[in-house]
Amino acid sequence: MRLDLRGVSAHLDGRPIVHEADLLVDDGEFVALVGPNGCGKSTLLRTIYRALRPSAGLISVDGDDVHRLSWRESARRTAVVAQETPAELDFTVREVVLMGRTPYARAAGDDEERCARALDRVGLAGTEERVYATLSGGEKQRALVARALVQETRLLLLDEPTSHLDIRHQLGILHLVRELGVATLAVLHDLNQAAAFCDRLYVMSAGRVLAGGPPGQVLTPELISEVYGVRAVRRTQLVFERLKE
Ligand code: ADP
Ligand code: MG
């Protein structure tokens, strides 16, 4: 599985938002997309999961133009956890997670098991009967990760998957993604976490992909100050690791 963006531009309400973005995620790679608020990260992701048609350029998954695939074929290849989570779904957690199975023709006998396993992996074991709308923000976010897991795709798109999570659950999701070994493009805000977990990262600013590569090479104080307008100093820091249960 390989995601390949070439010269992708996107407009919203006639306004140019993304300019000629090139980006690559190889099989099994965990790639981060970072950049300031409003620089176009979510818009770029939306063109990949087909919520938005690019105004120029080509987006291919395994060599096929994603905007030409059938809905079902596309959903078998790519799962997404979007930034805006549908908050007031009047469904149980089980129903929300099992929505991830819709690209597969028939309900399989082991769907319940898949659901239970996915919920367990995101730390929500046994919550199947809870009403989704009554979950906390972080629990909702993890339920949506579980929905993406049962979709069993080889490409995952995650838009700020850790934004509502406490530090332990942030690490849980990042470790989980690493262990999955599925090609992943994730919008992250914590540059230290991105550097610690990702194989490569891309930096966006004002609608452009400015740099891409291994975190240690890309995240220089010069680039960070240019993109974020802050001074970055490399210091020894506390490193958090999740303790086993
Ligand atoms: P990011 O995810 O990097 O924070 P977005 O891709 O969400 O940024 O937004 C990029 C720009 O597009 C912002 O200036 C934002 O205000 C604008 N934008 C986002 N969504 C819409 C929309 N539906 N209509 C018009 N402009 C939008
Ligand atoms: Mg966003």
Side-chain angles (χ1 to χ4, degrees):
M1 181 59 64
R2 180 187 168 96
L3 170 70
D4 194 351
L5 277 71
R6 301 272 172 94
V8 172
S9 298
H11 287 67
L12 287 172
D13 292 340
R15 211 155 60 87
I17 305 290
V18 175
H19 309 272
E20 297 174 4
D22 292 332
L23 187 151
L24 197 74
V25 182
D26 249 319
D27 201 23
E29 251 195 327
F30 186 3
V31 175
L33 181 60
V34 305
N37 295 143
C39 73
K41 304 179 297 297
S42 295
T43 305
L44 184 59
L45 245 64
R46 291 177 68 216
T47 65
I48 306 171
Y49 63 84
R50 313 202 315 170
L52 180 68
R53 234 174 213 290
S55 44
L58 187 67
I59 302 166
S60 63
V61 173
D62 266 352
D64 297 316
D65 180 346
V66 296
H67 287 270
R68 285 170 177 268
L69 292 176
S70 71
W71 169 83
R72 190 182 292 276
E73 183 53 34
S74 162
R76 284 180 178 180
R77 295 190 193 194
T78 308
V80 57
V81 177
Q83 188 171 12
E84 264 87 52
T85 59
E88 299 316 321
L89 291 179
D90 191 17
F91 292 112
T92 64
V93 170
R94 167 195 285 110
E95 287 167 329
V96 169
V97 172
L98 287 179
M99 285 171 197
R101 298 301 297 167
T102 35
Y104 299 95
R106 248 170 251 109
D110 55 357
D111 276 357
E112 291 295 323
E113 220 177 286
R114 284 177 216 266
C115 175
R117 221 175 320 135
L119 284 171
D120 187 40
R121 294 187 86 169
V122 299
L124 288 175
T127 60
E128 283 90 338
E129 301 309 327
R130 293 272 311 270
V131 175
Y132 177 82
T134 68
L135 300 181
S136 76
E139 289 167 339
K140 281 182 183 139
Q141 203 163 23
R142 287 184 283 135
L144 295 175
V145 172
R147 182 178 70 177
L149 293 180
V150 303
Q151 213 174 315
E152 291 179 350
T153 58
R154 288 176 54 218
L155 176 63
L156 262 181
L157 301 174
L158 306 173
D159 199 346
E160 300 193 27
T162 53
S163 57
H164 296 289
L165 305 185
D166 62 56
I167 181 72
R168 180 181 166 80
H169 286 116
Q170 288 179 23
L171 295 173
I173 293 295
L174 293 167
H175 276 294
L176 172 59
V177 171
R178 269 239 74 94
E179 285 159 18
L180 284 175
V182 165
T184 301
L185 180 62
V187 174
L188 297 175
H189 272 303
D190 186 319
L191 301 180
N192 285 312
Q193 276 183 356
F197 283 92
C198 295
D199 301 305
R200 286 187 307 116
L201 57 78
Y202 288 94
V203 180
M204 263 187 103
S205 178
R208 296 183 190 278
V209 174
L210 289 191
Q217 283 174 28
V218 172
L219 292 178
T220 60
E222 293 74 26
L223 187 79
I224 291 171
S225 93
E226 178 192 334
V227 168
Y228 290 97
V230 299
R231 194 162 65 94
V233 181
R234 209 180 280 277
R235 286 224 181 101
T236 322
Q237 57 163 1
L238 280 175
V239 176
F240 299 104
E241 274 179 25
R242 233 165 31 126
L243 297 166
K244 294 277 175 248
E245 310 269 305

